[in-house]
Structure formats: structure tokens, C-alpha cells
Amino acid sequence: MVNDVLNGIIAKLRAINTEKVTIYTDEHKQGLALPCYFVRLLNYTMERVVGDRYKVHFYFDIEYHSASDNAVTREYNEVMSALCLQLEFITIDGKLERYSSLSCEIQDKVLHTFVEYDLFLRLVPEQIEKKMLLIHHHGVKE
């Protein structure tokens, strides 16, 4: 389920960028190809609603690192606007899902976009294999 949401976000990031922008989902300490995105899950919670139905919260941080060291404000504003518009709906298992919250901020020359998706999930219990019919005859032995 987490990977389905992650894949939906990555698909939207690829749709935004017509130029080559690398998207990382695992940490890379060295050798970054700039500009790039880092997409990581910050928080995952699951709460029971009724019976076998659950509400699942996914809270992601999408970092955008610019290729330029100076005058990145305009670039970040453009990327921020595109992210806010494109991430409103993502496709998960063929269905459109809408975010429940989205916020952006710039810290240490990195644009952070925090987005939360809340999905409902139904956990179907595992089917137990039924045994064959057992016929039992009872009576008194003679």
C-alpha cells in the first residue's frame, strides 16, 4: 500500500518535469544528479474505523534540490506551484485519490513539500479452508 502511494507521487513528479530530473526514494550521500527530488515517507498511521475498515494516513516529504546555488527563489516558486497543482490527485490502483493536506517551505536552500493522503482500507480476513464433510454414525454396539 505504501509503495502504491509512492508510485502515484512519482508518476506525478515525472509528469511535472519535461526536462530530466532525477527522483530518489532512497538516501544518496554523494554523487547527486541535480536538479533532483527526494521522496520519503515521514509518518504512517492506521486507525480502526468500524469492524474490518481502517483509515490509513500517509505523510510524505518531497524535497526538491536545485542545480543552481544562487537565485533559486523563482525556480522554487515555479516548482512549488506545479507541485501544489499536480499532487492534488494521484492514481492508486486505478482510482484517483485526493490529498488531505499539503504545505511547502524552503529550508537551507531545499524546497520541502509535505503532503498527506488519507485512504480507507478494508482488511479481509484470510479464508480458512473448509474440511470435507464428516459423517458420524452413532448407535449402540451389540
PDB file of all heavy atoms in Angstrom, residues 84-102:
ATOM      1  N   CYS A  84       1.865  21.833  -6.090  1.00  0.00           N
ATOM      2  CA  CYS A  84       0.560  22.019  -5.445  1.00  0.00           C
ATOM      3  C   CYS A  84      -0.590  21.643  -6.377  1.00  0.00           C
ATOM      4  O   CYS A  84      -1.579  21.070  -5.942  1.00  0.00           O
ATOM      5  CB  CYS A  84       0.406  23.461  -4.974  1.00  0.00           C
ATOM      6  SG  CYS A  84       1.439  23.847  -3.552  1.00  0.00           S
ATOM      7  N   LEU A  85      -0.447  21.956  -7.648  1.00  0.00           N
ATOM      8  CA  LEU A  85      -1.497  21.625  -8.608  1.00  0.00           C
ATOM      9  C   LEU A  85      -1.507  20.142  -8.967  1.00  0.00           C
ATOM     10  O   LEU A  85      -2.561  19.518  -9.033  1.00  0.00           O
ATOM     11  CB  LEU A  85      -1.338  22.464  -9.874  1.00  0.00           C
ATOM     12  CG  LEU A  85      -1.592  23.958  -9.724  1.00  0.00           C
ATOM     13  CD1 LEU A  85      -1.241  24.681 -11.012  1.00  0.00           C
ATOM     14  CD2 LEU A  85      -3.033  24.220  -9.343  1.00  0.00           C
ATOM     15  N   GLN A  86      -0.332  19.585  -9.206  1.00  0.00           N
ATOM     16  CA  GLN A  86      -0.259  18.205  -9.688  1.00  0.00           C
ATOM     17  C   GLN A  86      -0.490  17.149  -8.609  1.00  0.00           C
ATOM     18  O   GLN A  86      -1.014  16.083  -8.892  1.00  0.00           O
ATOM     19  CB  GLN A  86       1.098  17.945 -10.359  1.00  0.00           C
ATOM     20  CG  GLN A  86       1.253  18.637 -11.676  1.00  0.00           C
ATOM     21  CD  GLN A  86       0.299  18.093 -12.724  1.00  0.00           C
ATOM     22  OE1 GLN A  86       0.059  16.897 -12.793  1.00  0.00           O
ATOM     23  NE2 GLN A  86      -0.250  18.989 -13.522  1.00  0.00           N
ATOM     24  N   LEU A  87      -0.094  17.435  -7.378  1.00  0.00           N
ATOM     25  CA  LEU A  87      -0.215  16.419  -6.326  1.00  0.00           C
ATOM     26  C   LEU A  87      -1.593  16.370  -5.688  1.00  0.00           C
ATOM     27  O   LEU A  87      -1.825  15.551  -4.803  1.00  0.00           O
ATOM     28  CB  LEU A  87       0.845  16.664  -5.240  1.00  0.00           C
ATOM     29  CG  LEU A  87       2.279  16.375  -5.654  1.00  0.00           C
ATOM     30  CD1 LEU A  87       3.232  16.773  -4.555  1.00  0.00           C
ATOM     31  CD2 LEU A  87       2.459  14.921  -6.027  1.00  0.00           C
ATOM     32  N   GLU A  88      -2.508  17.231  -6.139  1.00  0.00           N
ATOM     33  CA  GLU A  88      -3.847  17.208  -5.552  1.00  0.00           C
ATOM     34  C   GLU A  88      -4.491  15.841  -5.729  1.00  0.00           C
ATOM     35  O   GLU A  88      -5.107  15.306  -4.819  1.00  0.00           O
ATOM     36  CB  GLU A  88      -4.728  18.281  -6.175  1.00  0.00           C
ATOM     37  CG  GLU A  88      -6.113  18.308  -5.560  1.00  0.00           C
ATOM     38  CD  GLU A  88      -6.964  19.450  -6.056  1.00  0.00           C
ATOM     39  OE1 GLU A  88      -6.559  20.153  -6.991  1.00  0.00           O
ATOM     40  OE2 GLU A  88      -8.052  19.621  -5.488  1.00  0.00           O
ATOM     41  N   PHE A  89      -4.346  15.240  -6.897  1.00  0.00           N
ATOM     42  CA  PHE A  89      -4.883  13.910  -7.168  1.00  0.00           C
ATOM     43  C   PHE A  89      -3.767  13.007  -7.655  1.00  0.00           C
ATOM     44  O   PHE A  89      -2.998  13.392  -8.540  1.00  0.00           O
ATOM     45  CB  PHE A  89      -5.982  13.955  -8.233  1.00  0.00           C
ATOM     46  CG  PHE A  89      -7.227  14.653  -7.784  1.00  0.00           C
ATOM     47  CD1 PHE A  89      -7.454  15.970  -8.144  1.00  0.00           C
ATOM     48  CD2 PHE A  89      -8.167  14.001  -7.006  1.00  0.00           C
ATOM     49  CE1 PHE A  89      -8.596  16.630  -7.741  1.00  0.00           C
ATOM     50  CE2 PHE A  89      -9.310  14.654  -6.596  1.00  0.00           C
ATOM     51  CZ  PHE A  89      -9.525  15.971  -6.960  1.00  0.00           C
ATOM     52  N   ILE A  90      -3.670  11.812  -7.077  1.00  0.00           N
ATOM     53  CA  ILE A  90      -2.753  10.793  -7.578  1.00  0.00           C
ATOM     54  C   ILE A  90      -3.558   9.534  -7.854  1.00  0.00           C
ATOM     55  O   ILE A  90      -4.652   9.341  -7.297  1.00  0.00           O
ATOM     56  CB  ILE A  90      -1.593  10.496  -6.594  1.00  0.00           C
ATOM     57  CG1 ILE A  90      -2.109   9.958  -5.267  1.00  0.00           C
ATOM     58  CG2 ILE A  90      -0.713  11.700  -6.409  1.00  0.00           C
ATOM     59  CD1 ILE A  90      -1.012   9.449  -4.342  1.00  0.00           C
ATOM     60  N   THR A  91      -3.032   8.686  -8.702  1.00  0.00           N
ATOM     61  CA  THR A  91      -3.713   7.445  -9.058  1.00  0.00           C
ATOM     62  C   THR A  91      -3.130   6.292  -8.251  1.00  0.00           C
ATOM     63  O   THR A  91      -1.928   6.058  -8.274  1.00  0.00           O
ATOM     64  CB  THR A  91      -3.567   7.161 -10.557  1.00  0.00           C
ATOM     65  OG1 THR A  91      -4.053   8.286 -11.289  1.00  0.00           O
ATOM     66  CG2 THR A  91      -4.347   5.922 -10.957  1.00  0.00           C
ATOM     67  N   ILE A  92      -4.022   5.608  -7.529  1.00  0.00           N
ATOM     68  CA  ILE A  92      -3.635   4.440  -6.744  1.00  0.00           C
ATOM     69  C   ILE A  92      -4.589   3.311  -7.104  1.00  0.00           C
ATOM     70  O   ILE A  92      -5.801   3.432  -6.932  1.00  0.00           O
ATOM     71  CB  ILE A  92      -3.707   4.726  -5.228  1.00  0.00           C
ATOM     72  CG1 ILE A  92      -2.814   5.898  -4.869  1.00  0.00           C
ATOM     73  CG2 ILE A  92      -3.341   3.480  -4.432  1.00  0.00           C
ATOM     74  CD1 ILE A  92      -2.981   6.372  -3.454  1.00  0.00           C
ATOM     75  N   ASP A  93      -4.037   2.231  -7.622  1.00  0.00           N
ATOM     76  CA  ASP A  93      -4.834   1.069  -8.053  1.00  0.00           C
ATOM     77  C   ASP A  93      -5.956   1.475  -9.004  1.00  0.00           C
ATOM     78  O   ASP A  93      -7.089   1.003  -8.885  1.00  0.00           O
ATOM     79  CB  ASP A  93      -5.415   0.328  -6.844  1.00  0.00           C
ATOM     80  CG  ASP A  93      -4.344  -0.328  -5.999  1.00  0.00           C
ATOM     81  OD1 ASP A  93      -3.289  -0.680  -6.557  1.00  0.00           O
ATOM     82  OD2 ASP A  93      -4.567  -0.500  -4.789  1.00  0.00           O
ATOM     83  N   GLY A  94      -5.667   2.393  -9.918  1.00  0.00           N
ATOM     84  CA  GLY A  94      -6.638   2.804 -10.909  1.00  0.00           C
ATOM     85  C   GLY A  94      -7.684   3.796 -10.431  1.00  0.00           C
ATOM     86  O   GLY A  94      -8.562   4.191 -11.189  1.00  0.00           O
ATOM     87  N   LYS A  95      -7.595   4.231  -9.168  1.00  0.00           N
ATOM     88  CA  LYS A  95      -8.548   5.206  -8.627  1.00  0.00           C
ATOM     89  C   LYS A  95      -7.816   6.492  -8.293  1.00  0.00           C
ATOM     90  O   LYS A  95      -6.670   6.480  -7.867  1.00  0.00           O
ATOM     91  CB  LYS A  95      -9.214   4.679  -7.352  1.00  0.00           C
ATOM     92  CG  LYS A  95     -10.041   3.426  -7.540  1.00  0.00           C
ATOM     93  CD  LYS A  95     -10.777   3.031  -6.279  1.00  0.00           C
ATOM     94  CE  LYS A  95      -9.857   2.966  -5.087  1.00  0.00           C
ATOM     95  NZ  LYS A  95     -10.463   2.504  -3.870  1.00  0.00           N
ATOM     96  N   LEU A  96      -8.513   7.623  -8.472  1.00  0.00           N
ATOM     97  CA  LEU A  96      -7.943   8.913  -8.091  1.00  0.00           C
ATOM     98  C   LEU A  96      -8.140   9.136  -6.603  1.00  0.00           C
ATOM     99  O   LEU A  96      -9.237   8.947  -6.080  1.00  0.00           O
ATOM    100  CB  LEU A  96      -8.619  10.048  -8.868  1.00  0.00           C
ATOM    101  CG  LEU A  96      -8.234  10.191 -10.329  1.00  0.00           C
ATOM    102  CD1 LEU A  96      -9.021  11.321 -10.971  1.00  0.00           C
ATOM    103  CD2 LEU A  96      -6.754  10.439 -10.480  1.00  0.00           C
ATOM    104  N   GLU A  97      -7.080   9.508  -5.927  1.00  0.00           N
ATOM    105  CA  GLU A  97      -7.125   9.828  -4.500  1.00  0.00           C
ATOM    106  C   GLU A  97      -6.652  11.257  -4.319  1.00  0.00           C
ATOM    107  O   GLU A  97      -5.684  11.678  -4.949  1.00  0.00           O
ATOM    108  CB  GLU A  97      -6.250   8.869  -3.686  1.00  0.00           C
ATOM    109  CG  GLU A  97      -6.653   7.418  -3.767  1.00  0.00           C
ATOM    110  CD  GLU A  97      -7.948   7.096  -3.055  1.00  0.00           C
ATOM    111  OE1 GLU A  97      -8.434   7.939  -2.262  1.00  0.00           O
ATOM    112  OE2 GLU A  97      -8.473   6.005  -3.281  1.00  0.00           O
ATOM    113  N   ARG A  98      -7.322  12.002  -3.449  1.00  0.00           N
ATOM    114  CA  ARG A  98      -7.012  13.412  -3.218  1.00  0.00           C
ATOM    115  C   ARG A  98      -6.252  13.559  -1.903  1.00  0.00           C
ATOM    116  O   ARG A  98      -6.516  12.849  -0.938  1.00  0.00           O
ATOM    117  CB  ARG A  98      -8.296  14.220  -3.147  1.00  0.00           C
ATOM    118  CG  ARG A  98      -8.072  15.709  -3.077  1.00  0.00           C
ATOM    119  CD  ARG A  98      -9.410  16.442  -3.207  1.00  0.00           C
ATOM    120  NE  ARG A  98      -9.181  17.845  -3.460  1.00  0.00           N
ATOM    121  CZ  ARG A  98      -9.149  18.760  -2.499  1.00  0.00           C
ATOM    122  NH1 ARG A  98      -9.336  18.423  -1.246  1.00  0.00           N
ATOM    123  NH2 ARG A  98      -8.940  20.023  -2.803  1.00  0.00           N
ATOM    124  N   TYR A  99      -5.297  14.496  -1.885  1.00  0.00           N
ATOM    125  CA  TYR A  99      -4.558  14.718  -0.643  1.00  0.00           C
ATOM    126  C   TYR A  99      -5.469  15.357   0.397  1.00  0.00           C
ATOM    127  O   TYR A  99      -6.441  16.031   0.080  1.00  0.00           O
ATOM    128  CB  TYR A  99      -3.303  15.562  -0.860  1.00  0.00           C
ATOM    129  CG  TYR A  99      -3.528  17.005  -1.262  1.00  0.00           C
ATOM    130  CD1 TYR A  99      -3.991  17.945  -0.359  1.00  0.00           C
ATOM    131  CD2 TYR A  99      -3.247  17.432  -2.543  1.00  0.00           C
ATOM    132  CE1 TYR A  99      -4.186  19.262  -0.713  1.00  0.00           C
ATOM    133  CE2 TYR A  99      -3.422  18.749  -2.920  1.00  0.00           C
ATOM    134  CZ  TYR A  99      -3.900  19.657  -1.995  1.00  0.00           C
ATOM    135  OH  TYR A  99      -4.082  20.959  -2.357  1.00  0.00           O
ATOM    136  N   SER A 100      -5.141  15.162   1.662  1.00  0.00           N
ATOM    137  CA  SER A 100      -5.909  15.797   2.733  1.00  0.00           C
ATOM    138  C   SER A 100      -5.220  17.065   3.222  1.00  0.00           C
ATOM    139  O   SER A 100      -5.878  17.951   3.753  1.00  0.00           O
ATOM    140  CB  SER A 100      -6.134  14.831   3.895  1.00  0.00           C
ATOM    141  OG  SER A 100      -4.904  14.368   4.385  1.00  0.00           O
ATOM    142  N   SER A 101      -3.896  17.165   3.040  1.00  0.00           N
ATOM    143  CA  SER A 101      -3.196  18.408   3.368  1.00  0.00           C
ATOM    144  C   SER A 101      -1.909  18.488   2.562  1.00  0.00           C
ATOM    145  O   SER A 101      -1.320  17.467   2.203  1.00  0.00           O
ATOM    146  CB  SER A 101      -2.894  18.497   4.868  1.00  0.00           C
ATOM    147  OG  SER A 101      -1.930  17.542   5.228  1.00  0.00           O
ATOM    148  N   LEU A 102      -1.494  19.733   2.299  1.00  0.00           N
ATOM    149  CA  LEU A 102      -0.265  19.970   1.562  1.00  0.00           C
ATOM    150  C   LEU A 102       0.309  21.298   2.018  1.00  0.00           C
ATOM    151  O   LEU A 102      -0.431  22.275   2.155  1.00  0.00           O
ATOM    152  CB  LEU A 102      -0.541  20.011   0.056  1.00  0.00           C
ATOM    153  CG  LEU A 102       0.699  20.142  -0.833  1.00  0.00           C
ATOM    154  CD1 LEU A 102       0.601  19.187  -1.988  1.00  0.00           C
ATOM    155  CD2 LEU A 102       0.864  21.551  -1.333  1.00  0.00           C
TER     156      LEU A 102
END
